[in-house]
Amino acid sequence: MDRRQKQVIGTALVVHVVVAALTWRDIRNRPDERVRGNKTFWRVASALNTVNSAACWVVGRRGPASG
């Protein structure tokens, strides 16, 4: 693997970790009744790939978090 490929993979990994962390924070702070499905399911799904994190934000949420 050349240097450029390593940079792209490293950047993608950092983006995934940041997006997953933000998703997990949202899941943690959101009441159970504001999450479609099981919170554990969404945590596992968001950890697998960034598309699943986006799905959690688009499909898995029911309105704004109370707070």
Side-chain angles (χ1 to χ4, degrees), residues 1-61:
M1 217 184 316
D2 67 14
R3 185 167 120 13
R4 178 73 178 144
Q5 290 172 325
K6 288 179 182 178
Q7 285 177 333
V8 169
I9 290 172
T11 301
L13 180 62
V14 168
V15 168
H16 171 69
V17 168
V18 169
V19 169
L22 291 171
T23 302
W24 281 35
R25 185 181 74 179
D26 181 71
I27 292 169
R28 182 185 65 232
N29 293 332
R30 189 168 292 277
D32 289 343
E33 61 273 4
R34 294 282 188 188
V35 176
R36 287 188 177 100
N38 187 298
K39 285 185 173 187
T40 301
F41 167 79
W42 286 114
R43 283 186 188 104
V44 171
S46 67
L48 294 176
N49 65 51
T50 307
V51 173
N52 290 342
S53 289
C56 181
W57 286 88
V58 174
V59 177
R61 295 168 35 140

